[in-house]
Amino acid sequence: MIRRDYEGGLLLIPQTAHAWVSEQLALRWGSDQFTRPEPWEELMLVAAQHDSGWAEWELAPRIQPDGRPVEFREMDLEEHFAIWQRSVERMQPTNLYGALLISMHATQLYERRLQDNERGDTPEMQQRIRNFSNEQHVFQKQVRRTLAHHPRYGPALDDAPLADAFRLLQIWDLLSLLLLMGPLPNYTVEDVPVARGVRTAIQLAPRDGQTLTLEPYPFGEAPFTVRADGRWIAQQTFGHNSLFRRALAEAQLLGLELVVDRKS
């Protein structure tokens, strides 16, 4: 769940809605300058489903000890591991290549967390993260062996195309979060795939409170609107999970519309 201060209350946006915004961005990716890597359809699937493991949690969200709704960056480790594991497992019956990318996404986020340690993880927590990451690396090796001779996915597992596909998933995920978490930022996205072996940086800048501009512009449509629903609640703290869940169920459903455009 994304939690943001909004008009005197809280706007709460499910992680699954964030993933849908990732898909909306992915569907429009590609231009004369920015090529679409193969396998393209599978990348659309992964963009839409990479946070599918959150569905159960979003149906019964929790509060923190201080009474505020729990945000995605505040999860208990074991609970977070279980969410990522569900996301990977749910993709496996549909598309193993997609499950590989989701697993890579999870491990990269955890490895960055270990490197930065901005959350002050204890040595015990760090070891639990390493254990989970190691389990995912074993899974990733197994998938790569299984798909090595697949006529469609074998070539996509070479280092360069796999790196491009994985980086695009990261970028769509990041852009979706920046759009939804607010306020719209000035930000530089590094290492953006342009074509095989070619990367660039994209500069993000807000034009107003609802419009984010990009330069160079990687999409085939300009401008376009992405949409997501969240729930707005005036009350910011609660005494019990049941009280929060009742308030959330009765809360106003707010439709967000955010515009993506070229820098003018």
Side-chain angles (χ1 to χ4, degrees), residues 16-26 172 176 179-180 226-228:
T16 45
H18 142 67
W20 182 42
V21 172
S22 297
E23 182 194 24
Q24 293 173 60
L25 295 165
W172 299 328
S176 173
L179 284 163
L180 294 175
V226 297
R227 296 173 174 85

Side-chain angles (χ1 to χ4, degrees), residues 18 21-22 25 29 169-181 184 187 189 202 204 212 214 218-219 260:
H18 142 67
V21 172
S22 297
L25 295 165
W29 189 271
L169 173 61
Q170 292 179 304
I171 289 167
W172 299 328
D173 178 69
L174 173 63
L175 290 176
S176 173
L177 288 173
L178 293 175
L179 284 163
L180 294 175
M181 291 175 68
L184 297 178
Y187 191 89
V189 181
I202 292 179
L204 312 182
L212 186 65
L214 292 81
F219 300 103
V260 177

Side-chain angles (χ1 to χ4, degrees), residues 1-179:
M1 177 177 287
I2 294 169
R3 183 192 67 224
R4 59 181 284 190
D5 296 329
Y6 192 84
E7 296 185 355
L10 294 177
L11 180 60
L12 304 173
I13 304 168
Q15 289 299 113
T16 45
H18 142 67
W20 182 42
V21 172
S22 297
E23 182 194 24
Q24 293 173 60
L25 295 165
L27 286 168
R28 294 172 171 90
W29 189 271
S31 65
D32 291 341
Q33 181 181 359
F34 290 82
T35 61
R36 290 179 167 186
E38 293 294 339
W40 185 248
E41 290 83 358
E42 288 81 345
L43 283 175
M44 301 301 96
L45 176 66
V46 174
Q49 297 295 322
H50 73 273
D51 275 345
S52 63
W54 279 89
E56 290 86 350
W57 192 94
E58 296 288 0
L59 290 171
R62 296 185 294 99
I63 58 171
Q64 301 181 85
D66 66 3
R68 284 170 64 82
V70 172
E71 196 201 35
F72 73 99
R73 293 171 293 187
E74 301 165 343
M75 306 290 294
D76 172 78
L77 271 180
E78 295 303 323
E79 194 170 34
H80 210 223
F81 295 155
I83 287 170
W84 275 117
Q85 188 63 39
R86 284 198 299 270
S87 296
V88 173
E89 290 177 352
R90 283 189 176 143
M91 182 59 68
Q92 288 180 50
T94 303
N95 190 259
L96 265 181
Y97 174 80
L100 170 66
L101 289 177
I102 294 172
S103 175
M104 292 171 61
H105 186 45
T107 53
Q108 192 276 338
L109 290 173
Y110 281 124
E111 286 163 4
R112 184 191 304 165
R113 174 170 172 167
L114 286 174
Q115 181 179 356
D116 298 341
N117 199 25
E118 293 177 350
R119 307 187 195 191
D121 293 328
T122 65
E124 186 270 337
M125 293 170 69
Q126 292 176 346
Q127 187 56 53
R128 288 158 62 195
I129 291 172
R130 291 188 190 96
N131 293 342
F132 178 81
S133 295
N134 289 339
E135 292 171 0
Q136 292 303 309
H137 283 303
V138 170
F139 168 75
Q140 292 162 25
K141 290 178 182 178
Q142 292 172 340
V143 172
R144 295 187 73 160
R145 285 195 297 268
T146 299
L147 297 179
H149 301 292
H150 192 286
R152 180 168 175 83
Y153 302 124
L157 296 178
D158 291 342
D159 288 344
L162 184 61
D164 284 348
F166 175 52
R167 184 60 184 146
L168 284 178
L169 173 61
Q170 292 179 304
I171 289 167
W172 299 328
D173 178 69
L174 173 63
L175 290 176
S176 173
L177 288 173
L178 293 175
L179 284 163

